[in-house]
Structure formats: C-alpha cells, structure tokens
Amino acid sequence: MSVAGIALDASSRSPIVLLRDPSRTRQVPIWIDQAQAHNIMAGLNDTPQPRPLSHDLMAALLEAGGLRLERVIIHAIEDSTFRAVLRLQPLGDEPDGDDATGGDLESVNQLEIDARPSDAIALAIRTGSSIWMLEEVVAEASIAVDAEADAEDRDEFRRFLDQLSPAALVRHLESRPPGDSRDSQSDTPPS
C-alpha cells in the first residue's frame, strides 16, 4: 500500500489517511486524529522540525537499538478499528532471498509489535519501510478509485476556476433567490 494523502471527513471534519493499493484501483480510508495527520504530513512532505516529532524519535530509537522496521502490516479490523503490527528485524539480519514456497525467508529474530495504524504509517514514512495490508482487510474496507475520472474532474474544475472572475461569482450569488437551500450550512439535505 502507499499513502495517497490526507483528506477531511466532510461531516465530522476528522482527518483520514488514504492508503492506495498497488494496482491504484482501491483506496482504504482510515480515520485518524489531528496530531497523527500532522505527523504523517510532516513525514510525507519531509518537513524539517525544530525538535524531533514522536515518530522521528521512534525511528532514532530503532536505529540506536540496532533494529530496522522491515514493514508495517495492517492485518485486521475489529470493532471498526484497524489493527497493525510493526515487523522489526535486527540490523544486518537480512533474509537471503526466497524460500522454496516462493515466500520471503523470515528471520527467527523478527519481532512484531502491536501499533496503531496511524503511528505505524508515520513511522514507515520516516524509515522508508513498506506498508502492507492483508487482502481481507482491503476487501472489507476499500473504496474503488477511478484515477482517470478523478483527473478529468480535477482538470474540469481547474478550467472552471480559470474562467471564473470574482465579479461573475458575486453576480451569480446575488442572482439566487433568498432562502436558496444552497446557502444553508446545515448537515441535513434540503427537503
């Protein structure tokens, strides 16, 4: 999986981290808090911080302890909560290749630590580690992505904005009848 970005839930204004599958046809939204969104964005943007953030500290501690984050595995959804583990491996303890069954040889020294997916994702970004999600989880929680349609919508919106003048927008807003339901800031649809 890759981090497609951070979005905001329209109704709750809560941040959502969007993970996209390798085929780029499905995304899995995971609701997170503001602090986690900040940490993930700081990692994605490689924004220098005056002091290390928690995940910078975690990465430094792993290195100081002679460990590396091999991968993050988001492995389950229980009670509407995603579950993840950090798969750690001692530095220098690299698998030699594939075993006879076609899978990666796993080190007997690997360690798995339970983690919140948001923490795991922020740490994976900082360490350049991969993010894995079990297919069952992707199948249960994903939404279809139509990248071509998204690009067309984005291009159409940009063309609209390029042709829109502030004066035309004001004329349009003033031409609507009073009480137009589109003026409502309510979360309920017009009746």
Side-chain angles (χ1 to χ4, degrees):
M1 302 294 282
S2 62
V3 178
I6 301 285
L8 280 179
D9 182 306
S11 61
S12 68
R13 308 295 294 160
S14 297
I16 303 168
V17 62
L18 299 168
L19 298 179
R20 188 167 285 174
D21 74 346
S23 69
R24 305 188 63 75
T25 59
R26 298 178 294 176
Q27 274 185 174
V28 176
I30 300 176
W31 276 254
I32 59 177
D33 63 31
Q34 294 289 338
Q36 295 302 324
H38 172 76
N39 284 326
I40 290 170
M41 286 306 297
L44 286 173
N45 296 331
D46 200 21
T47 308
Q49 301 294 318
R51 302 286 303 147
L53 295 174
S54 300
H55 300 91
D56 299 318
L57 176 62
M58 286 183 225
L61 287 171
L62 285 174
E63 187 176 330
L67 296 171
R68 73 176 183 89
L69 178 60
E70 180 193 353
R71 69 181 69 145
V72 164
I73 305 170
I74 302 171
H75 60 87
I77 302 175
E78 298 170 358
D79 299 324
S80 300
T81 301
F82 288 86
R83 303 287 181 197
V85 294
L86 305 175
R87 182 172 286 173
L88 305 175
Q89 191 168 22
L91 289 172
D93 189 14
E94 308 295 324
D96 294 328
D98 293 337
D99 66 11
T101 64
D104 291 338
L105 284 177
E106 295 191 10
S107 166
V108 294
N109 296 324
Q110 283 183 338
L111 176 65
E112 288 188 355
I113 297 176
D114 185 39
R116 294 187 307 177
S118 54
D119 287 325
I121 292 165
L123 187 57
I125 291 168
R126 283 166 174 74
T127 61
S129 304
S130 59
I131 301 169
W132 291 35
M133 185 177 287
L134 295 186
E135 178 57 35
E136 303 87 62
V137 177
V138 175
E140 183 177 341
S142 67
I143 53 177
V145 173
D146 186 347
E148 197 172 301
D150 288 347
E152 287 176 23
D153 288 346
R154 191 173 41 251
D155 291 343
E156 184 178 330
F157 185 65
R158 282 189 184 131
R159 282 191 297 277
F160 168 75
L161 289 177
D162 288 343
Q163 297 170 359
L164 182 66
S165 71
L169 180 59
V170 168
R171 280 192 304 274
H172 171 72
L173 292 173
E174 289 174 345
S175 70
R176 294 194 323 209
D180 188 323
S181 63
R182 292 174 291 182
D183 290 337
S184 172
Q185 297 297 317
S186 169
D187 289 339
T188 58
S191 48

